């Protein structure tokens, strides 16, 4: 079982719709969860972080975390063509004295005009 | 400007010819990491460093070496590159304990023939 799993997609939504991206993780000691956006050929950029159960909203983005179900999601409201990218879920867990960030393989999102 | 730089950005080389990819950050970050990104596999950590002279293996360290002689620099060394090391490589840094956002370099696309 992969440590962090995402549906690879591609996921297509029409402009203005809500895009829902999902991620599950295997290690219950994981403490911090992140969503990165990566445009083709570019480096990942952090768009959301979440540390406790529930929802966290930032503009059009909402991250949701359920530690009991080991599930984290990202909702993008009013999707725009500029949101078309690959979205990477990342889980940060403590390994000894260090923190390791483990990434999922990403979900490719296309927002259709 | 706070940034992580990598050089070169693109490299085509032949099997067995030693190469070094440099990484430098100007944010005084303690933690630095190297990742490789391959289609369908997401970002996988190669090595990480918690501070000067402190390095440890990530998930896919075979065939790679690193060093951390200065806080700002974290070069990735391929002593004898092979075609299966053809990939997109990212260097990243973050402040350390309690700080979770990783800053990524622009990436180095390596092709080994």
């Amino acid at each position: 079982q992969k440590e962090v799993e995402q549906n690879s997609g591609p996921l297509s939504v029409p402009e203005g719709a809500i895009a829902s991206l999902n991620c599950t993780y295997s290690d219950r000691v994981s403490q911090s969860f992140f969503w990165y956006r990566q445009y083709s050929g570019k480096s990942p950029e952090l768009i959301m972080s979440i540390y406790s159960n529930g929802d966290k909203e930032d503009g059009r983005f909402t991250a949701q975390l359920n530690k009991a179900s080991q599930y984290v999601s990202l909702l993008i409201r009013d999707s725009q063509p500029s949101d078309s990218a690959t979205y990477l879920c990342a889980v940060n867990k403590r390994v000894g004295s260090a923190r390791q960030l483990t990434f999922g393989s990403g979900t490719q999102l296309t927002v259709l005009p | 400007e706070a940034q992580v730089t990598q050089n070169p950005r693109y490299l085509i080389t032949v099997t067995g010819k030693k190469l070094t990819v440099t990484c430098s950050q100007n944010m005084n970050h303690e933690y630095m990491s190297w990742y490789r990104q391959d289609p369908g596999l997401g970002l996988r950590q190669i090595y990480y460093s918690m501070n000067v002279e402190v390095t440890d293996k990530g998930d896919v360290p075979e065939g790679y070496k690193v060093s951390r002689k200065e806080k700002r620099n974290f070069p990735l060394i391929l002593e004898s590159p092979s075609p299966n090391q053809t990939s997109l490589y990212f260097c990243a840094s973050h402040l350390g304990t309690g700080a979770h956002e990783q800053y990524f370099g622009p990436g180095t696309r390596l092709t080994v023939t």
Side-chain angles (χ1 to χ4, degrees):
Chain A
Q1 181 188 8
K2 289 183 180 178
E3 289 194 62
V4 181
E5 293 210 55
Q6 298 179 250
N7 290 330
S8 60
L11 172 66
S12 294
V13 300
E15 184 174 356
I18 296 175
S20 177
L21 305 164
N22 304 316
C23 173
T24 58
Y25 60 95
S26 61
D27 195 333
R28 287 191 174 275
V29 304
S30 298
Q31 301 170 342
S32 312
F33 308 86
F34 307 89
W35 284 99
Y36 284 80
R37 178 175 62 200
Q38 186 177 24
Y39 293 112
S40 181
K42 302 295 185 182
S43 55
E45 56 177 325
L46 182 69
I47 54 172
M48 287 290 285
S49 57
I50 186 166
Y51 309 112
S52 55
N53 281 330
D55 295 359
K56 178 182 178 182
E57 187 174 319
D58 184 0
R60 296 186 294 111
F61 298 99
T62 299
Q64 300 174 315
L65 175 62
N66 183 326
K67 289 186 178 180
S69 301
Q70 295 174 243
Y71 175 90
V72 59
S73 66
L74 179 70
L75 301 178
I76 306 174
R77 290 183 301 281
D78 188 24
S79 295
Q80 301 297 308
S82 59
D83 294 326
S84 298
T86 296
Y87 289 80
L88 301 169
C89 174
V91 175
N92 192 331
K93 65 179 183 182
R94 186 179 291 276
V95 178
S97 60
R99 292 182 184 273
Q100 288 219 32
L101 198 62
T102 302
F103 287 85
S105 56
T107 298
Q108 185 180 342
L109 172 68
T110 300
V111 180
L112 303 170
Chain B
E1 178 189 357
Q3 60 181 351
V4 179
T5 57
Q6 293 178 230
N7 282 293
R9 294 288 314 280
Y10 303 91
L11 179 60
I12 300 174
T13 189
V14 296
T15 299
K17 186 176 181 181
K18 180 179 178 180
L19 66 93
T20 299
V21 184
T22 64
C23 173
S24 183
Q25 50 93 4
N26 63 1
M27 296 168 279
N28 203 35
H29 284 172
E30 291 179 353
Y31 281 65
M32 297 185 74
S33 298
W34 275 103
Y35 296 88
R36 61 178 288 175
Q37 187 172 37
D38 303 288
L41 297 178
L43 281 161
R44 294 180 292 167
Q45 191 179 51
I46 302 170
Y47 269 94
Y48 63 95
S49 169
M50 293 178 283
N51 214 323
V52 175
E53 303 292 2
V54 182
T55 63
D56 207 349
K57 297 177 180 178
D59 299 319
V60 287
E62 294 77 20
Y64 304 94
K65 285 176 56 178
V66 293
S67 68
R68 188 92 181 273
K69 293 181 169 36
E70 304 166 280
K71 198 171 188 178
R72 63 181 291 129
N73 296 323
F74 190 43
L76 179 69
I77 302 158
L78 284 71
E79 295 269 3
S80 183
S82 62
N84 64 12
Q85 293 178 298
T86 293
S87 188
L88 179 59
Y89 291 86
F90 289 103
C91 180
S93 73
H94 70 95
L95 190 55
T97 302
H100 306 283
E101 178 174 0
Q102 291 215 25
Y103 293 81
F104 283 85
T108 295
R109 187 166 292 282
L110 172 66
T111 301
V112 183
T113 61

